[in-house]
Amino acid sequence: MSSTALPQHEQQAIDSVPKRLLIGGRWVDGERGTLAVEDPATGNTLTEVADASPADARKALDAAVAAQGDWARTPPRERGEILRRTFDAISARADELALLMTLEMGKPLAESRGEISYGAEFLRWFSEEAVRIDGRYSVNPAGGNRLLTMRQPVGPCLLITPWNFPLAMGTRKIGPAIAAGCTMVVKPAEQTPLSMLALAQILGEAGLPDGVLNIVTTSTAREVSAPLIADSRLRKLSFTGSTEVGKALVSQSAEGLLRTSMELGGNAPFIVFEDADLDAAVEGALVAKMRNGGEACTAANRFHVAKPVAAEFSERLAARLKELRIGRGTEPDVDLGPLIDNIQRGKVSELVEDAVARGASTLTGGSSVPGPGYFYDATVLADVPTGSRLLSEEVFGPVAPVASFETEAEAIASANDTQYGLVAYLYTSDLKRALRVTEALETGMVGLNQGLVSNPAAPFGGVKQSGFGREGGPEGIAEYLSTKYVAINVD
Ligand code: NAP
């Protein structure tokens, strides 16, 4: 991978970020030298960041453990105000942070700005939750004793995040951990470490004490995290990423019965009934499918549309996707950036080719875009037959496969016919049907006549093999708290 000169403002955004490991409040080199960060729109190297060894990670955990006691005793208001100041600082620097994110991840600037705002909102939300960590006092039903419960920080955490939302997947964990009084080691994705390093710098400037947040960037994720997971001083693992890696981490965590939260893969069905407002359904489909270029765990993976409206829905969605402008996310008016790498693009191509070979028809797109970078056309496939891999595997790209159904029962059965259970989208104007189908969907979240569910004030998370635990909402902080019950003798 080559390195070419960037425009000055892009270079400045890259230069402004520390490139080393953050351990105990100091920026230090990694024992294994550096690793390259690439621009997925060009394939060129943007910069290098430190490459941590297992020994570096151990030092990061040492620092988190050393800071835990004081941090847990820091008044909740003080913890909350650090988060609030960080929210303000991120909001003030949104454009510069969005540029950084676009450079390392590829999505258009407008989408990066959206993620900066969404990601920062978790910090504001949890700044408000920090002061609402309460307990309970009650009388033993049989009389005599009193029952007191209190909630305390779980202790040092390991937080592992993916590349698709380089900031928000971090703030969803870091925000509640800080609010609850936990210290942490964060391991961002190798492909997108810069947004996380920038966040760490801003948290430091906002007054976060040394050692509370430690950042370990590495090219050897498994090697570096396995010893931490096996270390009895670690008390919690929160992971966002693929189901496959999540299962491996749960299995490693079983040895020490480590507390875990798992935000894993999705395969969201998007159901449109014949009574739906079709204009709204097409708009919602555009958001649910194309946000983040389809590289989202919440992305609508497959469209199940009632037979009488399936052809019209497919054609209208294709017409909208045809209008999207593909290009490097830093360019003006670009709607769709590149995929993260060639492996991901190869997987998208494979799934599309499989569906077409089985008889699906391509209404728009259907191929890779030649030239540098990892671009793939916005694609709509109609009449996708049962058995196509696209209907059961997570596509993680700008591809909308449409299949039709005849009855409500068939729609529900198709929607639930997956190992995943993160989110489902449902479009109908019939209130009774809306409630019936919502109750029958085996997912942690439902978008009802709405193509976007993510909201820092709401509990985000899945069921089945999409994982367990919730991020955001009042539930989000509970993941970082342990309940202690005290039996009090008052006689
Ligand atoms: P991934 O390959 O599972 O990687 C996620 C993170 O885990 C990265 O930091 C990665 O490091 C690290 N990792 C990989 N293998 C590891 C191992 N054996 N031990 C410890 N850490 C390991 O997932 P991804 O491709 O980055 O992200 C896409 C997936 O995330 C999709 O399936 C998507 O649905 C899911 N996701 C879920 C949610 C949710 O909230 N449910 C949100 C966003 C994304 P490296 O980068 O160094 O490989």
Side-chain angles (χ1 to χ4, degrees), residues 13-100:
I14 304 271
D15 290 345
S16 69
V17 182
K19 315 285 187 312
R20 302 203 284 171
L21 311 177
L22 178 60
I23 299 180
R26 292 178 48 237
W27 293 99
V28 298
D29 289 331
E31 269 190 355
R32 294 198 166 151
T34 58
L35 62 90
V37 182
E38 188 187 286
D39 177 349
T42 61
N44 292 332
T45 296
L46 288 169
T47 187
E48 306 262 336
V49 301
D51 192 359
S53 69
D56 292 322
R58 189 187 162 84
K59 285 182 202 152
L61 181 59
D62 292 344
V65 170
Q68 180 59 61
D70 282 350
W71 184 237
R73 285 186 291 274
T74 301
R77 175 71 72 201
E78 224 171 291
R79 301 199 299 260
E81 291 198 338
I82 291 168
L83 289 174
R84 178 61 207 222
R85 284 196 292 275
T86 308
F87 165 79
D88 290 338
I90 292 176
S91 306
R93 290 173 53 181
D95 285 345
E96 169 199 339
L97 293 167
L99 176 58
L100 189 67

Side-chain angles (χ1 to χ4, degrees), residues 46-315:
L46 288 169
T47 187
E48 306 262 336
V49 301
D51 192 359
S53 69
D56 292 322
R58 189 187 162 84
K59 285 182 202 152
L61 181 59
D62 292 344
V65 170
Q68 180 59 61
D70 282 350
W71 184 237
R73 285 186 291 274
T74 301
R77 175 71 72 201
E78 224 171 291
R79 301 199 299 260
E81 291 198 338
I82 291 168
L83 289 174
R84 178 61 207 222
R85 284 196 292 275
T86 308
F87 165 79
D88 290 338
I90 292 176
S91 306
R93 290 173 53 181
D95 285 345
E96 169 199 339
L97 293 167
L99 176 58
L100 189 67
M101 185 180 290
T102 291
L103 288 171
E104 66 175 346
M105 191 272 168
K107 70 181 95 174
L109 277 176
E111 289 224 35
S112 292
R113 275 194 212 98
E115 183 185 336
I116 299 293
S117 155
Y118 170 58
E121 280 297 342
F122 283 98
L123 304 179
R124 175 153 69 173
W125 173 263
F126 287 109
S127 77
E128 292 154 352
E129 288 296 286
V131 293
R132 312 208 195 291
I133 300 167
D134 51 14
R136 220 169 50 228
Y137 181 81
S138 59
V139 177
N140 180 7
N145 286 357
R146 299 294 183 266
L147 317 179
L148 173 70
T149 61
M150 60 179 82
R151 296 199 294 164
Q152 297 177 303
V154 287
C157 304
L158 173 61
L159 313 178
I160 303 180
T161 58
W163 50 263
N164 63 341
F165 290 98
L167 183 85
M169 297 304 100
T171 55
R172 294 207 302 196
K173 301 181 191 303
I174 295 168
I178 287 178
C182 296
T183 60
M184 65 211 84
V185 177
V186 178
K187 197 218 81 62
E190 179 186 351
Q191 285 161 310
T192 58
L194 301 176
S195 299
M196 189 70 81
L197 291 165
L199 170 66
Q201 187 179 38
I202 296 172
L203 276 160
E205 289 163 3
L208 191 70
D210 292 350
V212 173
L213 169 74
N214 304 277
I215 306 272
V216 171
T217 50
T218 182
S219 62
T220 50
R222 186 185 188 289
E223 223 186 300
V224 157
S225 52
L228 299 191
I229 294 169
D231 192 315
S232 61
R233 298 172 302 162
L234 188 77
R235 295 298 162 75
K236 160 102 195 174
L237 167 64
S238 178
F239 172 75
T240 299
S242 60
T243 294
E244 186 192 353
V245 173
K247 284 182 187 177
L249 294 176
V250 168
S251 149
Q252 288 172 37
S253 304
E255 184 55 34
L257 289 177
L258 187 65
R259 227 176 121 175
T260 56
S261 302
M262 292 284 143
E263 297 286 346
L264 308 178
N267 185 341
F270 189 107
I271 309 167
V272 182
F273 284 98
E274 64 272 27
D275 56 39
D277 172 343
L278 218 54
D279 292 336
V282 171
E283 286 313 307
L286 210 64
V287 175
K289 180 69 255 180
M290 297 309 294
R291 175 170 174 250
N292 226 40
E295 292 177 310
C297 51
T298 50
N301 207 74
R302 50 207 165 94
F303 293 80
H304 299 282
V305 185
K307 208 162 202 163
V309 292
E312 187 184 349
F313 175 86
S314 308
E315 278 152 24

Side-chain angles (χ1 to χ4, degrees), residues 346-391:
K347 166 127 194 269
V348 171
S349 288
E350 223 180 84
L351 294 181
V352 169
E353 281 160 23
D354 167 76
V356 171
R358 288 170 193 266
S361 50
T362 310
L363 298 190
T364 186
S367 47
S368 295
V369 178
Y374 313 118
F375 294 93
Y376 195 90
D377 280 333
T379 300
V380 177
L381 302 179
D383 304 317
V384 176
T386 312
S388 300
R389 287 174 58 194
L390 260 179
L391 299 181

